[in-house]
Amino acid sequence: MAASGSKTVIYAALVGNLLIAVTKFGAALYTGSSAMLSEAIHSLVDSGNQGLLLYGLRRAKRPADDRHPFGYGMELYFWAFVVAILIFAVGSGVSLYEGILKILEPHPITNPLINYVVLGAAIIFEGVAWTMAFKEFQRTKGTRGWMEAVRQSKDPALFTVLFEDSAAMAGLIVALVGIYLSQALNMPWLDGAASVGIGIILAVVAMLLAYECKGLLIGESADKALVDNVSRIIRSEPTVNRLNELRSMHLGPRDVLLAVSIDFRDGQTVGEVESTVFRLERRIKQQFPEVRRIFIEVQSHGDHKRMVASER
């Protein structure tokens, strides 16, 4: 369900950005606006980024094999990180470069009306794409705050598109204001300043995305609610004496790995322990379908403490 929602949001953003990019490039070449050129490059980079996210979603669905026994789910995290780098290196870098050139060598914009029409249409297209991404993210965030939801989200495709669309809307407003002021005040360098502003917006968004994707690539634990509920399920088993440890890691947006150490009550037969392990795995996976793999280690509490101490 989450992957399907992410794909819909990405496709909507991709179509909108491709149409907008072509229009912006035409307007930038015709009017000579630095801010419009930065916006055109921004839309083109966003289109490429959405293509990479779709590619990452498709690659992440490949089944596990001998070389990757836990599957390819984390490949989506890699491509989301590449997207962040492209936004910073290409989108932000080119916008800053173009803006600084315009500030150093200002020249007036010709036919500004074309820029206003194009930016107005772009705001409408981007607004539709942003609304779709916002609604999908709002549906998945639940009662959490926005930044908390981003930090805890395991679906980089969704929050990357939301961040990109938010940056696009902010960039369009900056471009519109910059072009208007450069004409109204007869100060052409303000068009370049708007381009620099767009570059700064993209740099900030890129750094936020890179930070979030880095955590996913390194390996993040499952949601606290999932971990707490799984712990409760394990402790509810009458044959379990103590839950020594529960570790979790996301291998993809909907792919969680659990490693559990359990101290069983004394006097249990091998068959009773096996039955409990089977029952635990079934209960956990029924309640949490995103838990794909569970590794349960039978270990006394004393042995577990000694093992943990030796690892430090």
Side-chain angles (χ1 to χ4, degrees):
M1 186 70 176
S4 177
S6 299
K7 272 193 172 183
T8 302
V9 169
I10 295 172
Y11 276 120
L14 176 61
V15 172
N17 277 315
L18 283 174
L19 293 173
I20 294 168
V22 173
T23 310
K24 286 178 180 176
F25 271 116
L29 292 173
Y30 189 74
T31 65
S33 169
S34 176
M36 182 60 76
L37 181 59
S38 294
E39 274 298 306
I41 294 168
H42 180 187
S43 294
L44 186 63
V45 171
D46 280 355
S47 300
N49 290 343
Q50 276 120 36
L52 287 176
L53 289 175
L54 289 170
Y55 178 73
L57 283 170
R58 184 171 64 84
R59 297 276 295 178
K61 286 184 177 180
R62 290 181 297 166
D65 54 33
D66 290 340
R67 291 192 63 189
H68 298 88
F70 294 109
Y72 291 81
M74 295 187 76
E75 188 160 350
L76 174 59
Y77 300 157
F78 167 77
W79 289 110
F81 188 77
V82 170
V83 164
I85 294 172
L86 286 176
I87 292 174
F88 184 83
V90 181
S92 176
V94 174
S95 295
L96 290 170
Y97 175 77
E98 178 65 24
I100 291 171
L101 283 183
K102 184 66 177 284
I103 292 172
L104 295 176
E105 298 180 10
H107 54 270
I109 299 172
T110 59
N111 298 304
L113 180 61
I114 294 177
N115 285 324
Y116 296 138
V117 172
V118 170
L119 288 173
I123 288 173
I124 294 173
F125 287 132
E126 288 287 2
V128 172
W130 181 87
T131 300
M132 292 182 65
F134 178 80
K135 286 182 177 179
E136 181 64 21
F137 189 76
Q138 190 175 40
R139 185 185 66 80
T140 59
K141 86 175 186 68
T143 59
R144 295 171 294 180
W146 290 101
M147 289 311 298
E148 181 188 4
V150 170
R151 286 194 298 269
Q152 294 183 6
S153 175
K154 313 303 178 184
D155 188 354
L158 186 55
F159 67 71
T160 296
V161 173
L162 180 62
F163 274 33
E164 280 186 342
D165 288 347
S166 298
M169 290 294 289
L172 287 168
I173 293 170
V174 169
L176 191 63
V177 172
I179 292 171
Y180 172 76
L181 290 178
S182 70
Q183 292 292 307
L185 302 177
N186 195 26
M187 300 171 67
W189 66 269
L190 287 174
D191 180 44
S195 182
V196 171
I198 293 168
I200 292 172
I201 290 171
L202 293 176
V204 171
V205 168
M207 287 187 285
L208 285 173
L209 286 176
Y211 178 79
E212 293 301 327
C213 292
K214 180 203 74 171
L216 293 171
L217 278 171
I218 294 174
E220 287 190 355
S221 64
D223 186 77
K224 185 178 183 299
L226 184 150
V227 173
D228 289 345
N229 279 305
V230 169
S231 299
R232 195 174 298 113
I233 290 172
I234 294 172
R235 292 190 177 101
S236 70
E237 284 291 330
T239 58
V240 172
N241 180 47
R242 182 192 293 265
L243 171 60
N244 296 322
E245 185 178 29
L246 192 160
R247 296 187 184 185
S248 64
M249 187 171 74
H250 265 270
L251 302 177
R254 301 286 296 172
D255 187 353
V256 176
L257 179 147
L258 295 179
V260 185
S261 171
I262 298 176
D263 178 8
F264 283 87
R265 295 188 185 280
D266 293 338
Q268 304 297 316
T269 66
V270 173
E272 289 171 335
V273 170
E274 288 177 345
S275 296
T276 301
V277 168
F278 174 77
R279 189 164 54 252
L280 282 173
E281 290 186 0
R282 185 177 60 186
R283 288 179 62 191
I284 292 169
K285 289 183 177 181
Q286 282 177 346
Q287 189 166 341
F288 301 100
E290 62 268 38
V291 176
R292 304 284 183 86
R293 300 167 185 83
I294 306 174
F295 297 97
I296 297 178
E297 182 178 33
V298 179
Q299 192 176 39
S300 71
H301 181 60
D303 287 343
H304 176 73
K305 286 181 65 177
R306 283 188 289 272
M307 184 193 71
V308 172
S310 67
E311 292 177 349
R312 293 174 180 170

